[in-house]
Amino acid sequence: MTPTLTLRIAELELDAAVLRHRLLHIPLALQEDCGLWASHRTIGRQAMTLFRAVRQETRDSGDEDECDQALSRIEAAYQLVHDAIQSLSVLALADLPTRH
C-alpha cells in the first residue's frame, strides 16, 4: 500500500478517536453547535473514499492480506464513532427517573 494511503488511514483513525471522545464528553444539547454531527458525516465520507482507494490499489497490486488489514482499520475507526453514537442514543432514550 502506498505511504499516502497508509497516512490517510492513520488520519481517519485519529479523527475517529477525537470525534468519539467529543461525542461522549460534550453534552447532547451542545453537540450541534460544536459541529459534531457534521464531523460524523465527514468521517463517513472519508471512510467510504478510503475503502474505494484501498480496493482500487488492491486490484492493481494483488496484495489481499494488506488490503484486508487496511479495510479492517478503516472499519474499526468508523465503528468507534458508530458505537459512541449508539451509546448516546441509548442514554437519550433511557427512561431515567427525574427528581420531583
Side-chain angles (χ1 to χ4, degrees):
M1 192 162 30
T2 65
T4 302
L5 195 51
T6 302
L7 178 62
R8 287 176 58 201
I9 293 170
E11 288 171 347
L12 176 73
E13 290 170 323
L14 179 60
D15 290 347
V18 168
L19 180 56
R20 176 191 176 274
H21 178 78
R22 292 179 70 205
L23 284 168
L24 295 176
H25 291 90
I26 293 177
L28 282 173
L30 301 175
Q31 288 187 4
E32 188 59 40
D33 294 338
C34 296
L36 294 185
W37 298 110
S39 296
H40 176 252
R41 285 189 297 274
T42 300
I43 293 266
R45 280 189 225 112
Q46 288 173 339
M48 289 305 299
T49 300
L50 286 171
F51 268 119
R52 289 183 191 111
V54 167
R55 293 303 302 161
Q56 179 63 43
E57 191 172 301
T58 301
R59 267 187 250 136
D60 296 342
S61 71
D63 189 354
E64 289 293 324
D65 288 337
E66 189 174 33
C67 173
D68 290 344
Q69 291 173 355
L71 294 176
S72 292
R73 287 177 61 194
I74 295 166
E75 183 179 3
Y78 188 80
Q79 189 66 39
L80 194 68
V81 174
H82 178 75
D83 290 347
I85 291 171
Q86 188 174 17
S87 295
L88 286 176
S89 67
V90 167
L91 288 174
L93 296 173
D95 189 21
L96 300 176
T98 58
R99 290 186 190 180
H100 289 36

